[in-house]
Amino acid sequence: MDSPSPDVVEYRYNFIGGPYGTARPDEPGGPATIRFLPLEGRPDYLSVRAVDRSGRSSPTTTYWFRVKDGRAPVAHWKLDDPAGSTGAAAEAGTAARAGSGVTFGGPAPRGADTGATAALNGSSHAYLTPGVPAVDTAGTFAVSAWVRPAQTDRTMTVASQDAGGTAAFRLGLTSRDSGPAWSFALGDAHVSGGAPETGEWAHLLGLYDAETGTARLYVNGHAVGTGAEATPTGTSGAFQIGRARSGDQYHARWHGDLGDVRVHDRVVVPAEVADMAYRTPELLGHWSLETATDGASPEQTDGAPLRLGDGAAIHRSPSSTCIPDLDPDCAYVPPALVGDGHLTLDGGTGHAVAEGPVVDTGDSFTLGVVVRLADAEPAHPMTVLSQAGEHTDAFKVRYEPSQHQWQLVMPERDEPGAPETVVSHIEPADGGEGSGHRLAVVYDDATDTVKLFLDGYTNDRATGTVPNGWRSSGALQIGRGQVGDGWGEYLHGDVDEVQAYAGALKDSRIGGLGWGTNPCLEC
C-alpha cells in the first residue's frame, strides 16, 4: 500500500469478511506491506484508506481479485493398487517401490474417497519409497494420509523424508507414558494430540507454514495440540512411507493400514483439511411407516422391514376429506405426521423392531425420527429409539417428563449401572397435538462427540463427549428400551420417518431429516 501524500502514517484496510487491520509505514509517506492468506477460492477485495498524522483520511480505494482453488498435490499415492503389486502408482510425483512387508488390496475407511489401502506388517520390509524427495521441507508443505494402526503401544511412522542421518519431518503415532498420541515432528518442534485406537481409522495431516514458522497437526479434519514454532532444514533425501531415518538405519516402522498419501507444497487450509477427512455417511435404513403387511412395515430400499409388535399399528391419512359439522356421518381422521401414514403406539406394549443392530454404535452413526407424544403430562419416561447390548442400551432417545426433556442417554460400558452421558433439550410434551418433533442423534467417533438435535437445532446442553463408543449386538427398537432385565418405557404416541446412517451427518444436513426424502450426503 502506498500514497502520494508525504505525511501518511497508517493505512486502514479490510478484506471481505475480514481481517480488518492497520498497517504503518517505516517512515511517514512511505509504503506498507501486509501478508494475507485467503482461506477459500472466491472473488475478494482489499479496501484501503490512507490516514495522515492529523487524522485526515483519504477516499477508500478498493482492489478486486479472484482467489483460485489451491494447487493439486505435488506427490500422491492412493495405495489402492491391486493385490500382488510390488509398488504404488503415483497420481502425482514418482511411483513408490514397496518392500515385501507391504500387502495391497486392503479395506478402505467407509465413506472416504479412497477405494482400497495397503497393509504394512511392521517389519524391516514394511515401507514404500519413491527414492526421491517429494517436497522441499525448508518451505511450506503438508503431508496427509488415512491410517489404521494395528497396535498403539509403540511409536510408528506414517510418512517422513530423509535428511542425512535423520528425518526432516515425521508424521505418525507416538507412544508415551500417558498413552498413545498422533504426532507431527519437524526439527525440534513436536505437535501431538488425539487418541489413536487399535483398528480404528483416522485421517492425519501435518502442516508446516513457512510464512509463520509454525507446525500444526490435524486429526480427522480438526486441529489438535498447539501449533509449535519450527526451524526446518532443507532436504534432498528420499520420501518414506511407513518408516523414518535414524543414523544409517530406519526405525518406527508402521504396523497397520495406510491409504491416500498426499504431499502439498502449500498451506492446506482448514476447510480443505475437513473435506479430505470427511467420510460420506451411508444410508442403512429408511422406514417411512406408510403401510404394513402381515405386521411388517417396509424399508424404502428393500432392506429389512420393521416388525410391529402388539399395541403398534399404522395410522393412515384419510383418503377423502369431509366436514363433521356439515356431515353427521363424517368422523374426523387426523392426517399422518409425514406422508400418508405413521406408526401409532399404545404406551403399554406397542413397539416395532428392525432386524439386527442397524447402526454400529462403536463407530460414527446418525439416526433421525419424527415423534409426537399423545399425552400432555406423561406419567413416566418413554423411549422413542434404542439399540441394546447384552446388559444395557448402547443409546436411548427418550422423553423424561419430570424434567420436560428430550434426552439422549449413552452408557460408557455395556454394564448395568455404568456411567452415562446424557444430553438434552427442554420441550413441553405434545399432548397429541401439532406435527410432532424431528429428533436426530449424531455420534462422531472421530471427535468423540455426540449431539441431540431437536427440529434441526442443537446447543451446548445437547452436546456431550463419549470417549469410546461400544458395539451393541441388539436390534433397533422403536417405542421401548431396556429397563432392568426386561423391556419398559413404552411410548404412547406417534412415530414417523425413522432413518439410520453409518457415519456422522453434517450439522447443515440434519434439517433435511424427517421430511420423507433423504438429505444430500455430499453437501
Side-chain angles (χ1 to χ4, degrees), residues 111 271 274-282 501 504-513 517-523:
D275 284 343
M276 291 167 65
Y278 184 61
R279 298 170 64 176
T280 303
E282 175 189 347
Y501 296 84
L505 212 60
K506 292 181 179 180
D507 288 5
S508 59
R509 299 296 98 197
I510 295 300
L513 295 174
T517 58
N518 296 323
C520 171
L521 302 184
E522 297 285 357
C523 299

Side-chain angles (χ1 to χ4, degrees), residues 68 81 133 310 313 324 339 357 365 373 393 475 486 489:
K68 293 183 178 180
D81 306 84
D310 293 339
F365 68 87
L373 300 178
D393 290 319
E489 296 190 354

Side-chain angles (χ1 to χ4, degrees), residues 240-497:
Q240 305 290 336
I241 299 173
R243 63 183 184 178
R245 189 81 179 182
S246 179
D248 59 356
Q249 296 181 341
Y250 290 97
H251 72 136
R253 301 174 186 275
W254 183 260
H255 182 201
D257 302 309
L258 296 176
D260 200 32
V261 177
R262 306 187 191 196
V263 183
H264 286 84
D265 63 348
R266 61 172 177 86
V267 171
V268 179
V269 298
E272 288 182 296
V273 181
D275 284 343
M276 291 167 65
Y278 184 61
R279 298 170 64 176
T280 303
E282 175 189 347
L283 179 66
L284 300 174
H286 182 179
W287 296 272
S288 289
L289 299 166
E290 306 275 321
T291 61
T293 303
D294 296 329
S297 187
E299 196 272 328
Q300 280 198 359
T301 60
D302 296 327
L306 283 177
R307 298 288 176 182
L308 275 57
D310 293 339
I314 296 296
H315 167 83
R316 294 283 296 173
S317 292
S319 57
S320 62
T321 59
C322 63
I323 304 175
D325 291 343
L326 301 179
D327 183 357
D329 295 327
C330 171
Y332 174 71
V333 178
L337 288 177
V338 182
D340 295 329
H342 64 236
L343 178 67
T344 296
L345 302 173
D346 66 0
T349 59
H351 67 280
V353 180
E355 295 179 5
V358 172
V359 294
D360 179 358
T361 54
D363 202 349
S364 301
F365 68 87
T366 302
L367 289 164
V369 64
V370 181
V371 59
R372 177 175 59 197
L373 300 178
D375 305 309
E377 297 182 6
H380 57 80
M382 295 186 293
T383 294
V384 184
L385 298 174
S386 67
Q387 188 167 290
E390 184 177 353
H391 301 289
T392 188
D393 290 319
F395 68 85
K396 181 185 295 185
V397 181
R398 69 176 187 172
Y399 189 77
E400 174 51 76
S402 66
Q403 301 179 54
H404 308 289
Q405 288 181 354
W406 284 109
Q407 295 180 341
L408 168 64
V409 182
M410 294 187 70
E412 293 182 8
R413 299 181 297 276
D414 188 9
E415 299 174 2
E420 297 173 334
T421 295
V422 181
V423 298
S424 62
H425 283 278
I426 297 177
E427 184 70 23
D430 302 288
E433 298 180 351
S435 57
H437 295 289
R438 283 159 175 80
L439 300 176
V441 175
V442 179
Y443 171 55
D444 188 347
D445 188 43
T447 58
D448 293 334
T449 58
V450 63
K451 297 178 181 180
L452 177 64
F453 290 80
L454 177 70
D455 297 326
Y457 297 96
T458 189
N459 53 45
D460 292 342
R461 185 186 184 116
T463 301
T465 300
V466 179
N468 293 300
W470 50 273
R471 185 168 287 113
S472 58
S473 56
L476 178 66
Q477 304 283 334
I478 292 85
R480 66 179 184 178
Q482 284 202 101
V483 177
D485 295 330
W487 297 107
E489 296 190 354
Y490 284 92
L491 177 71
H492 185 204
D494 305 318
V495 176
D496 210 348
E497 290 297 316

Side-chain angles (χ1 to χ4, degrees), residues 115-140:
T117 59
L120 282 66
N121 65 13
S123 71
S124 61
H125 303 288
Y127 67 89
L128 298 101
T129 179
V132 296
V135 70
D136 179 4
T137 56
T140 296

Side-chain angles (χ1 to χ4, degrees), residues 141-182:
F141 73 94
V143 58
S144 63
W146 279 103
V147 306
R148 184 170 68 168
Q151 61 183 110
T152 57
D153 57 354
R154 67 182 180 91
T155 296
M156 300 192 295
T157 302
V158 173
S160 68
Q161 188 160 288
D162 296 347
T166 187
F169 73 87
R170 189 185 73 83
L171 177 69
L173 184 156
T174 299
S175 179
R176 52 191 185 183
D177 292 341
S178 59
W182 300 115

